[in-house]
Amino acid sequence: MNHIPVHKLSEYIDGMLEAQEKDAITLHISQCPECRQNLLQLQKMISMLSSMKTISMPKTFATDTMIQIKKKYHHKRYYQWVRGSVIAAAIVLIAIITMLPDSITHDQFKTYMTQNTQKTSKLDCIIPTNMDLQTAMMIIQQHKARVLDYSNSYMIVESDVNSFSSIRNIINNYESFGHTTISNVGINYLPQEDKNYPQLTHANKKKYIFRLQLR
Amino acid sequence: MSEYSDNELIDRVIAGDTDAFADIITRYQNRIFRYVYTRVYDYDEACDMTQDIFIITMESLKTFRKESQFSTWLFSIAVNYCKNHRRKNRHKVYSIHSAQDETEMQIPDIRQNQEEHIITSESLQIMLEELHKLPDDYRDILVLRDIEGQSYATIAQALNLSLANVKVRIHRGREMLKSRLQQRGLL
C-alpha cells in the first residue's frame, strides 16, 4: 500500500480535497499507522502554531502609537505651514526683486545711455595720447576741467577754450618725446587716412568736449 | 473593541476623527506584531516595526480604495515594510533570545491537555526559533495560514501570489517545519 504524501495530508487537514479523495484518505489513515502518525504530527504542529496566536503586544501599544501618530501629524502640519510660509515669502521676494530693481536698472540704464549719447554726440574732437589715466586725470584737475566719463582706455573731458588750449599744449609737449603730436585742434588734428575719428564741428564755441585716448 | 466595521472606522479617520484609528490599531496590532515578530525574532524591534507599520498605514489611509478587505491591505503593507526592512538591515544579526530574556514578551504558558499535546512556553520558544529560520516565503505563509487562520484566497491577495502557488508553499513550508521540529524532538 502506497503512503499518502505530506502535501495531501496537508490539504486533507485544510479541507481542500474533494469528498471522494477525502474519504479515501480517511480510510487509508485508519489502516496505515505510518500515515496516521504523519497526520498526527502535522496536526500537532499546526495546533502549536495556532497557539502562537496568544502572543500579544503591550496593552499600551495602541495609546503609544496614537501619541506617535499625533506627534508626527502635528510635526507634518507644522512643517507644511513653515514650507507654505517660506514658499509664499519666496514668491513675494522674487516679485519684489523682479519688479523693483528692474525699474531702477532700467532708469539707470536709460540715464547712462542718454548721458553717453550726449557725451558722444557732443564730442568736439578725439585726442590720441600715450598718457596713462592717472597722468591725464592730474592734468585735467589742474585745469579745472570736468571729467564727464572715463575708463582705463579713454577720458571724456569738458573744459573752456583756455583750458582746452593749455591741455592740448601739455599733451603736445608730452607727446613730443617721440610720440604722435597733435596740433591745431579743430583744423587738422586728425590724420587724413583715419576716418574713424569724428570731425571737429564747434571750433569757436566757448566749451569744448573732447575725448582723450589713453595708453 | 469598537462595534464599527473597518470601513466605517476608516471613513471616520479620513473625515478627521484621528482617534478612531486607535480602534483599528487595537483590532489588528497583535496580528501584525506576530507576523513581524516571526520575521525579526526580536521583541522590541518587532514592537517598533509594528508601530511604524501603523503610522505608515495611517498616512496612506486615503489611498485605500476598499477593493479588498482592509486586513488584506494592512497585511500587504506589513509584508512590504518587512521586505524593505530586511533589505536595509541585511547585515544586521538578530540575537536569538532565550525564554528567560523575553521578560516583557507575553507568551503564555499554555498547557493544553488535548490528546497527547502539551504545549509549554519552552516548546513555543523552539517553535518560534525554527519558524524564524525558515525561508521568508514559507514562514510568511505559515504565519498567515496556521497562526492567523487566513484563507488561501486572502493569503494569495496579501502576498500577491496565485492560489496554486499559495497551496504549494503552505505544504512545503509545513513539511520543512515538521522536519525541523522532529529534529528538535518536539514532534
Side-chain angles (χ1 to χ4, degrees):
Chain A
M1 180 167 46
N2 288 333
H3 292 303
I4 300 167
V6 176
H7 76 269
K8 279 287 167 202
L9 290 178
S10 179
E11 286 184 51
Y12 177 80
I13 292 168
D14 283 345
M16 301 294 288
L17 299 174
E18 297 293 328
Q20 199 180 349
E21 200 172 8
K22 188 185 164 190
D23 292 344
I25 289 178
T26 308
L27 181 67
H28 177 90
I29 286 164
S30 65
Q31 296 162 353
C32 175
E34 200 174 324
C35 286
R36 191 162 54 244
Q37 176 66 12
N38 260 342
L39 181 72
L40 286 175
Q41 281 179 339
L42 264 182
Q43 282 174 330
K44 183 183 176 185
M45 185 186 78
I46 292 168
S47 169
M48 284 172 76
L49 279 170
S50 69
S51 72
M52 286 170 69
K53 207 168 184 172
T54 49
I55 296 173
S56 57
M57 302 197 76
K59 283 173 185 162
T60 56
F61 177 78
T63 318
D64 295 345
T65 305
M66 284 310 293
I67 291 169
Q68 290 301 317
I69 285 173
K70 282 179 181 175
K71 246 188 220 173
K72 205 167 176 182
Y73 183 69
H74 286 303
H75 278 198
K76 201 175 168 185
R77 283 188 69 179
Y78 173 74
Y79 284 119
Q80 276 175 347
W81 179 82
V82 169
R83 198 176 59 177
S85 307
V86 169
I87 290 170
I91 289 168
V92 171
L93 199 64
I94 288 167
I96 290 170
I97 290 170
T98 315
M99 293 167 71
L100 190 62
D102 189 38
S103 60
I104 289 170
T105 309
H106 179 71
D107 289 341
Q108 283 176 336
F109 181 67
K110 200 173 163 185
T111 311
Y112 176 82
M113 285 305 289
T114 310
Q115 283 171 354
N116 279 285
T117 310
Q118 283 168 355
K119 281 169 202 165
T120 317
S121 64
K122 285 179 181 174
L123 270 184
D124 292 313
C125 66
I126 296 174
I127 306 175
T129 167
N130 269 331
M131 281 180 184
D132 59 17
L133 178 66
Q134 204 178 354
T135 314
M137 193 67 85
M138 198 176 69
I139 292 167
I140 301 303
Q141 281 171 354
Q142 280 171 358
H143 289 81
K144 293 180 182 174
R146 196 152 67 97
V147 177
L148 298 178
D149 193 12
Y150 70 94
S151 76
N152 282 331
S153 59
Y154 72 89
M155 184 181 277
I156 296 173
V157 184
E158 184 185 51
S159 73
D160 58 23
V161 177
N162 292 335
S163 294
F164 173 71
S165 182
S166 176
I167 290 166
R168 188 194 62 182
N169 286 334
I170 288 170
I171 289 173
N172 276 345
N173 290 335
Y174 184 84
E175 300 295 326
S176 65
F177 295 101
H179 300 301
T180 310
T181 303
I182 297 170
S183 57
N184 301 322
V185 170
I187 300 168
N188 59 354
Y189 78 99
L190 289 172
Q192 288 300 312
E193 65 274 14
D194 193 343
K195 293 177 181 173
N196 288 328
Y197 289 161
Q199 294 296 314
L200 187 63
T201 52
H202 301 290
N204 297 321
K205 69 179 188 174
K206 287 180 183 176
K207 292 257 180 186
Y208 276 95
I209 296 174
F210 57 97
R211 177 184 173 115
L212 291 179
Q213 280 304 132
L214 303 173
R215 187 166 57 187
Chain B
M1 189 74 73
S2 167
E3 71 278 13
Y4 292 104
S5 72
D6 286 350
N7 285 347
E8 283 170 336
L9 287 172
I10 290 163
D11 289 341
R12 279 175 55 193
V13 175
I14 291 171
D17 180 9
T18 316
D19 290 330
F21 195 68
D23 288 341
I24 293 178
I25 296 175
T26 312
R27 195 170 286 178
Y28 290 105
Q29 61 181 44
N30 290 327
R31 283 189 235 180
I32 298 296
F33 172 75
R34 284 190 289 269
Y35 169 75
V36 175
Y37 181 68
T38 53
R39 266 191 165 247
V40 296
Y41 199 48
D42 180 309
Y43 190 79
D44 293 331
E45 180 89 16
C47 280
D48 291 344
M49 286 171 69
T50 307
Q51 192 169 71
D52 285 347
I53 289 166
F54 278 108
I55 291 171
I56 291 168
T57 306
M58 168 78 183
E59 285 172 345
S60 45
L61 208 55
K62 282 179 185 170
T63 64
F64 175 56
R65 286 175 292 180
K66 297 178 186 170
E67 287 167 359
S68 61
Q69 282 188 353
F70 173 73
S71 58
T72 311
W73 184 69
L74 178 61
F75 261 107
S76 63
I77 291 177
V79 170
N80 287 329
Y81 179 88
C82 288
K83 278 183 185 167
N84 290 334
H85 184 270
R86 164 64 65 89
R87 215 171 291 136
K88 283 179 196 165
N89 298 278
R90 197 169 286 166
H91 303 297
K92 187 174 174 182
V93 178
Y94 289 103
S95 59
I96 303 295
H97 293 186
S98 68
Q100 287 79 11
D101 292 337
E102 297 288 351
T103 47
E104 281 185 67
M105 188 172 162
Q106 296 168 14
I107 297 179
D109 189 1
I110 307 161
R111 294 182 187 274
Q112 292 178 322
N113 279 312
Q114 292 176 339
E115 301 165 358
E116 75 271 31
H117 305 164
I118 296 175
I119 302 170
T120 63
S121 61
E122 285 81 8
S123 56
L124 264 182
Q125 205 61 52
I126 294 169
M127 173 70 92
L128 266 171
E129 277 178 35
E130 294 305 327
L131 188 61
H132 176 69
K133 287 177 195 165
L134 285 183
D136 289 351
D137 290 345
Y138 299 112
R139 184 184 52 246
D140 284 359
I141 220 147
L142 288 191
V143 169
L144 294 179
R145 176 64 197 160
D146 292 336
I147 300 179
E148 303 305 333
Q150 305 271 9
S151 70
Y152 282 41
T154 309
I155 295 170
Q157 213 173 0
L159 299 179
N160 200 21
L161 295 170
S162 69
L163 206 58
N165 213 334
V166 169
K167 265 187 196 176
V168 170
R169 286 193 192 184
I170 286 175
H171 308 321
R172 282 190 189 158
R174 281 175 179 170
E175 254 184 286
M176 275 186 200
L177 188 62
K178 181 172 167 280
S179 159
R180 285 170 180 273
L181 293 178
Q182 276 176 322
Q183 282 172 18
R184 296 287 299 262
L186 215 61
L187 292 178

